[in-house]
Amino acid sequence: FTFKTFFAMKSLCCVSLFCYVTFTLLFYEIRDVAGILYPQESESREVKDISGRWRFRTDNSSSRDAGFTQRWWERGLEESGPVIDMPVPASYNDITQEKNIRDFVGWVWYETNFFLPKSWNNANTRVWLRVGSAHYYSMVWVNGVKVMEHEGGHLPFESDVTTRLQYVTTNRVTIAVNNTLTPNTLPPGKINHYMGRDDYPEGYFTQEYQFDFFNYAGIHRPVKLYTTPLVRTSEIATTYDVTTDHASATVHYVINITDGAERRRLFANYNVTVVLQSANGDVINKTTGGEGDIIVTNPRLWWPVGMSEDVGYLYTLVVYAGVFGMNAPTNTDIYRLKIGIRSVSVDSSIKINGRPFYVIGVGKHEDWDVRGKGFDWSMVVKDFNLLDWLGANAFRTSHYPYAEEIMQMCDERGIVVVDECPAVGMRSADNFVNKTLTHHLNVIGELVTRDRNHPSVIMWSVANEPSSQLPQAANYFKTVLDRVRELDPTRPATFVCNAGYDSDVATAFVDVVCVNKYEGWYDDAGRVEVIRKRLSYFLNKWYEKRGKPIIHMEWGAGVISGFHSDPSLMYTEEYLCDVMREHFQTFDSLRAGSNPILAGEMIWNFADFATAQATTRAYGNRKGLFTRHRQPKSPAFVIRERYRTL
Ligand code: GCB
């Protein structure tokens, strides 16, 4: 199955009115999902980052609702109780020496103040408040007035706060965040109450979840204010066609222009000019209108690491949007979107620009010491340098969407991304109900509209290791995967499966079969000698079942850095090296030959990471190639040798 762009399909269907109507509806549906463009400066936009040291308090009341009953947002937080310093962005869990804060469940309150430049106070300027992400449910007030609520971590949310701001004095922003997970959140979880138990302290409860990483919480990504003109570009969607000889490409674009009344209008009311520039700013081509095509002859295609000398080439799409008749530069909104021209398709293999692409990557986490899941440029750049050192060409945003800045770096560095939804730990039947499904579809909408312009994203993953053997999983995942393809028909979609090949009912709807299996670890622990045979049997069974290319998404073994043994023993550095060599034999036999069934391998995990406390987790998950402090364990050198050779 080849993923042609729907734009191409639309023009093919022009002859048939029926088809035209069908695709036009699709076209409008894309517009109905509010995408949030990354805030950036331009001649018409300013950005003010208000991250930093905020005031913070956990709501320790037994029902965690004191903040609401006492209306903490109405005054400075200091006036309603004690506060502590809290960095933003950062998870709050590891910042203090308090166990209560590390393991806190419920509402926490953040607050800061900011001044605004007087120049922002004019009739043609709108000011937006944007939270890069907060885990999990957020409410935001500006100067005591509620401006937005958002459900779900890992994705940005914003609101027009123009009318809430003050220019003669300081402004106050209050953000309440609740990390409680329920059977219908993504990821799901549940609260266990120990009511009526004489053997537990009174009122005791715990947060339980079925995923293997610490439930870090707080404001995880920067909080920014930014300005736009009244009429602004609010969404851009691009797709590409590349000719088979690579001699020409078409950039299809759809732009949404939003006016001051926040009504979405036909772009016919506005004057839209779109200019495609090369990386060094030369104009390649330009056109006008809110939707259209830009032809690029002899395009410099976007290639991932290892497929070309010319890795991660990005053009810039400059969008000028203004109102007809008042086209003075001050009224024109200017937004620059970096794009990479490439195609993705799947038949017997994954193809980028028509050429087979073999995934050699890692599963990752946004996880660092002290800051938890808080965005930190030092850690992000370090991780990219380590990916480069390994020679990896891909990673999966296991198990939730990563920061936009990380996606931008993937585009630039030619690192392919399998972009994952935070649907991890859907293990029980009460996770597969309409309430979860509705939220899942919303999250998919937010994820696809946020990330659809990143050339690095070659596949959507809608979940990790759901109980896909449950009968209700079939319809559930068909619905979710249909929705992804509806929003983005240009990329394959999948979920990552650990159900048995004989019991799973939902991989029928994926484009690439992605499986997790830990031979020599969870299966046949300590018996490296059976890995080759067992792994090969398993992957062949999957291929027999679905006949689709397979990515072995997770495999590996726990290693405590500095543990050694010969012959190897589980948890030693030598053990993972042995496990790797056995896996490589099978991978090589299945990725080559006349019928290659394997499209890629991703080891679990890039680095050690924090988890909930458990008897099977010694200071977190130790399957990292690198320690949590990003120092290599010896298996990292074995992977490096392989990835750099492949
Ligand atoms: C898995 C999960 C991942 C865990 C890993 C492990 O299958 O997808 O989240 O961390 O196994 O190490 O157990």
Side-chain angles (χ1 to χ4, degrees), residues 315-332:
Y315 291 88
T316 305
L317 198 71
V318 193
V319 177
Y320 299 85
V323 184
F324 271 133
M326 317 163 41
N327 210 10
T330 48
N331 283 334
T332 302

mmCIF file of all heavy atoms in Angstrom, residues 315-332:
data_model
loop_
_atom_site.group_PDB
_atom_site.id
_atom_site.type_symbol
_atom_site.label_atom_id
_atom_site.label_comp_id
_atom_site.label_asym_id
_atom_site.label_seq_id
_atom_site.Cartn_x
_atom_site.Cartn_y
_atom_site.Cartn_z
ATOM 1 N N TYR A 315 13.834 23.282 3.760
ATOM 2 C CA TYR A 315 13.415 24.531 3.122
ATOM 3 C C TYR A 315 12.625 25.345 4.150
ATOM 4 O O TYR A 315 12.230 24.824 5.188
ATOM 5 C CB TYR A 315 12.493 24.243 1.935
ATOM 6 C CG TYR A 315 13.159 23.594 0.749
ATOM 7 C CD1 TYR A 315 13.269 22.206 0.657
ATOM 8 C CD2 TYR A 315 13.659 24.365 -0.289
ATOM 9 C CE1 TYR A 315 13.860 21.608 -0.450
ATOM 10 C CE2 TYR A 315 14.255 23.777 -1.404
ATOM 11 C CZ TYR A 315 14.351 22.392 -1.479
ATOM 12 O OH TYR A 315 14.942 21.815 -2.568
ATOM 13 N N THR A 316 12.372 26.597 3.814
ATOM 14 C CA THR A 316 11.483 27.403 4.673
ATOM 15 C C THR A 316 10.286 27.866 3.859
ATOM 16 O O THR A 316 10.449 28.402 2.762
ATOM 17 C CB THR A 316 12.226 28.643 5.224
ATOM 18 O OG1 THR A 316 13.395 28.200 5.895
ATOM 19 C CG2 THR A 316 11.358 29.412 6.209
ATOM 20 N N LEU A 317 9.110 27.613 4.405
ATOM 21 C CA LEU A 317 7.889 28.106 3.785
ATOM 22 C C LEU A 317 7.519 29.386 4.521
ATOM 23 O O LEU A 317 7.217 29.348 5.714
ATOM 24 C CB LEU A 317 6.789 27.056 3.968
ATOM 25 C CG LEU A 317 5.568 27.151 3.078
ATOM 26 C CD1 LEU A 317 5.923 26.774 1.643
ATOM 27 C CD2 LEU A 317 4.491 26.197 3.593
ATOM 28 N N VAL A 318 7.594 30.511 3.810
ATOM 29 C CA VAL A 318 7.267 31.777 4.480
ATOM 30 C C VAL A 318 5.838 32.153 4.101
ATOM 31 O O VAL A 318 5.516 32.260 2.921
ATOM 32 C CB VAL A 318 8.236 32.910 4.062
ATOM 33 C CG1 VAL A 318 8.079 34.116 4.993
ATOM 34 C CG2 VAL A 318 9.675 32.427 4.048
ATOM 35 N N VAL A 319 5.011 32.316 5.128
ATOM 36 C CA VAL A 319 3.600 32.617 4.877
ATOM 37 C C VAL A 319 3.318 34.057 5.295
ATOM 38 O O VAL A 319 3.546 34.437 6.449
ATOM 39 C CB VAL A 319 2.689 31.652 5.680
ATOM 40 C CG1 VAL A 319 1.224 32.005 5.470
ATOM 41 C CG2 VAL A 319 2.964 30.213 5.280
ATOM 42 N N TYR A 320 2.854 34.856 4.329
ATOM 43 C CA TYR A 320 2.463 36.243 4.604
ATOM 44 C C TYR A 320 0.940 36.280 4.558
ATOM 45 O O TYR A 320 0.346 35.880 3.553
ATOM 46 C CB TYR A 320 2.994 37.191 3.528
ATOM 47 C CG TYR A 320 4.503 37.211 3.412
ATOM 48 C CD1 TYR A 320 5.174 36.253 2.629
ATOM 49 C CD2 TYR A 320 5.261 38.184 4.057
ATOM 50 C CE1 TYR A 320 6.554 36.270 2.512
ATOM 51 C CE2 TYR A 320 6.650 38.207 3.939
ATOM 52 C CZ TYR A 320 7.287 37.239 3.167
ATOM 53 O OH TYR A 320 8.655 37.248 3.049
ATOM 54 N N ALA A 321 0.313 36.734 5.623
ATOM 55 C CA ALA A 321 -1.155 36.772 5.636
ATOM 56 C C ALA A 321 -1.635 38.137 6.095
ATOM 57 O O ALA A 321 -1.239 38.620 7.153
ATOM 58 C CB ALA A 321 -1.701 35.708 6.580
ATOM 59 N N GLY A 322 -2.470 38.752 5.298
ATOM 60 C CA GLY A 322 -3.004 40.064 5.681
ATOM 61 C C GLY A 322 -4.408 40.233 5.151
ATOM 62 O O GLY A 322 -4.939 39.369 4.458
ATOM 63 N N VAL A 323 -4.998 41.362 5.488
ATOM 64 C CA VAL A 323 -6.363 41.629 5.043
ATOM 65 C C VAL A 323 -6.289 42.374 3.722
ATOM 66 O O VAL A 323 -5.471 43.274 3.562
ATOM 67 C CB VAL A 323 -7.105 42.500 6.082
ATOM 68 C CG1 VAL A 323 -8.556 42.697 5.692
ATOM 69 C CG2 VAL A 323 -6.999 41.856 7.452
ATOM 70 N N PHE A 324 -7.167 42.026 2.780
ATOM 71 C CA PHE A 324 -7.197 42.724 1.506
ATOM 72 C C PHE A 324 -7.379 44.222 1.717
ATOM 73 O O PHE A 324 -8.170 44.645 2.557
ATOM 74 C CB PHE A 324 -8.376 42.231 0.644
ATOM 75 C CG PHE A 324 -8.008 41.060 -0.211
ATOM 76 C CD1 PHE A 324 -8.835 39.953 -0.267
ATOM 77 C CD2 PHE A 324 -6.838 41.066 -0.970
ATOM 78 C CE1 PHE A 324 -8.511 38.875 -1.057
ATOM 79 C CE2 PHE A 324 -6.518 39.992 -1.760
ATOM 80 C CZ PHE A 324 -7.347 38.897 -1.807
ATOM 81 N N GLY A 325 -6.663 45.002 1.021
ATOM 82 C CA GLY A 325 -6.872 46.442 1.052
ATOM 83 C C GLY A 325 -6.104 47.147 2.155
ATOM 84 O O GLY A 325 -5.902 48.344 2.101
ATOM 85 N N MET A 326 -5.653 46.438 3.153
ATOM 86 C CA MET A 326 -4.881 47.097 4.224
ATOM 87 C C MET A 326 -3.547 46.374 4.353
ATOM 88 O O MET A 326 -3.168 45.933 5.422
ATOM 89 C CB MET A 326 -5.569 46.971 5.584
ATOM 90 C CG MET A 326 -7.030 47.189 5.587
ATOM 91 S SD MET A 326 -7.746 46.535 7.112
ATOM 92 C CE MET A 326 -6.595 46.994 8.364
ATOM 93 N N ASN A 327 -2.901 46.255 3.210
ATOM 94 C CA ASN A 327 -1.770 45.337 3.198
ATOM 95 C C ASN A 327 -0.447 45.972 3.626
ATOM 96 O O ASN A 327 0.621 45.571 3.184
ATOM 97 C CB ASN A 327 -1.659 44.725 1.809
ATOM 98 C CG ASN A 327 -1.077 43.336 1.912
ATOM 99 O OD1 ASN A 327 -0.944 42.807 3.011
ATOM 100 N ND2 ASN A 327 -0.720 42.786 0.777
ATOM 101 N N ALA A 328 -0.543 46.905 4.520
ATOM 102 C CA ALA A 328 0.694 47.505 5.011
ATOM 103 C C ALA A 328 1.465 46.451 5.802
ATOM 104 O O ALA A 328 0.860 45.588 6.432
ATOM 105 C CB ALA A 328 0.350 48.687 5.908
ATOM 106 N N PRO A 329 2.810 46.507 5.804
ATOM 107 C CA PRO A 329 3.589 45.465 6.456
ATOM 108 C C PRO A 329 3.195 45.231 7.908
ATOM 109 O O PRO A 329 3.218 44.125 8.386
ATOM 110 C CB PRO A 329 5.033 45.982 6.369
ATOM 111 C CG PRO A 329 5.009 46.986 5.279
ATOM 112 C CD PRO A 329 3.613 47.497 5.152
ATOM 113 N N THR A 330 2.764 46.282 8.606
ATOM 114 C CA THR A 330 2.412 46.100 10.021
ATOM 115 C C THR A 330 1.190 45.222 10.196
ATOM 116 O O THR A 330 0.993 44.640 11.248
ATOM 117 C CB THR A 330 2.129 47.461 10.685
ATOM 118 O OG1 THR A 330 1.263 48.176 9.840
ATOM 119 C CG2 THR A 330 3.394 48.224 10.964
ATOM 120 N N ASN A 331 0.345 45.171 9.168
ATOM 121 C CA ASN A 331 -0.847 44.343 9.281
ATOM 122 C C ASN A 331 -0.633 42.927 8.758
ATOM 123 O O ASN A 331 -1.536 42.113 8.803
ATOM 124 C CB ASN A 331 -2.003 44.962 8.491
ATOM 125 C CG ASN A 331 -2.590 46.125 9.256
ATOM 126 O OD1 ASN A 331 -2.499 46.158 10.472
ATOM 127 N ND2 ASN A 331 -3.159 47.062 8.526
ATOM 128 N N THR A 332 0.506 42.663 8.216
ATOM 129 C CA THR A 332 0.733 41.359 7.616
ATOM 130 C C THR A 332 1.399 40.433 8.625
ATOM 131 O O THR A 332 2.430 40.758 9.192
ATOM 132 C CB THR A 332 1.643 41.514 6.367
ATOM 133 O OG1 THR A 332 0.999 42.404 5.473
ATOM 134 C CG2 THR A 332 1.877 40.181 5.696
#
